[in-house]
């Protein structure tokens, strides 16, 4: 089980982006979320964490 960086829940299935993990549920949500949706902004913010992590490592 790995902790998803979006929902912060331990999940079994998902994808790896650099050193971070995104669960399948969140990945699907992100794909269908409209860019005008406030939720999309939240996803982008969470994704920034990945980038920052990548720079550090
Ligand atoms: Zn998730």
């Amino acid at each position: 089980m790995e902790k998803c960086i979006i929902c912060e829940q331990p999940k079994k299935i998902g994808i790896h982006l650099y050193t971070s993990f995104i669960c399948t549920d969140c990945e699907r949500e992100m794909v269908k979320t409209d860019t005008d949706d406030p939720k999309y902004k939240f996803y982008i913010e969470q994704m920034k964490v990945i980038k920052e992590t990548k720079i550090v490592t």
Side-chain angles (χ1 to χ4, degrees), residues 11-29:
K11 296 283 176 85
K12 277 183 191 168
I13 310 160
I15 54 155
H16 285 99
L17 274 177
Y18 307 113
T19 56
S20 301
F21 175 78
I22 297 172
C23 73
T24 314
D25 298 338
C26 290
E27 196 211 338
R28 278 194 202 136
E29 278 296 310

Side-chain angles (χ1 to χ4, degrees), residues 33-50:
T33 303
D34 200 273
T35 48
D36 296 331
D37 198 310
K39 249 186 357 184
Y40 191 83
K41 236 184 166 184
F42 168 76
Y43 291 138
I44 296 299
E45 284 300 310
Q46 296 298 95
M47 298 289 272
K48 275 183 191 164
V49 177
I50 302 174

